[in-house]
Amino acid sequence: MSEKTDQLKILTVLEVMEMLSVSRTQVYALKATGKLPFIKIGRSTRYDPADIKQFIEDQKMLIK
């Protein structure tokens, strides 16, 4: 594979579950509420790794 192809990797629900350490139900709930952007390819749902990283950043909280 070329470098360009490697950059186009999209994630399955299982991979997102592992990245976020949450259940499949939680991933689908985040998708349904619009908090987690997704890509539809036919009947398959996929996720952009950049969107997952941004979601994680958006969830960070600082307590003062």
Side-chain angles (χ1 to χ4, degrees):
M1 278 189 158
S2 70
E3 273 187 50
K4 191 169 191 171
T5 311
D6 291 340
Q7 294 173 357
L8 297 176
K9 170 89 168 116
I10 55 176
L11 305 171
T12 64
V13 172
L14 182 61
E15 290 170 318
V16 174
M17 289 169 50
E18 291 172 0
M19 283 181 75
L20 299 178
S21 298
V22 297
S23 68
R24 180 181 302 269
T25 303
Q26 185 65 27
V27 172
Y28 285 125
L30 290 168
K31 175 186 135 194
T33 59
K35 294 180 181 177
L36 199 59
F38 62 96
I39 302 162
K40 285 298 283 186
I41 302 173
R43 293 178 13 190
S44 299
T45 301
R46 297 292 186 264
Y47 299 87
D48 185 330
D51 291 335
I52 304 305
K53 289 175 186 174
Q54 185 61 52
F55 174 78
I56 293 168
E57 286 299 315
D58 293 345
Q59 303 312 303
K60 289 183 180 178
M61 302 176 85
L62 297 175
I63 299 176
K64 297 179 180 183

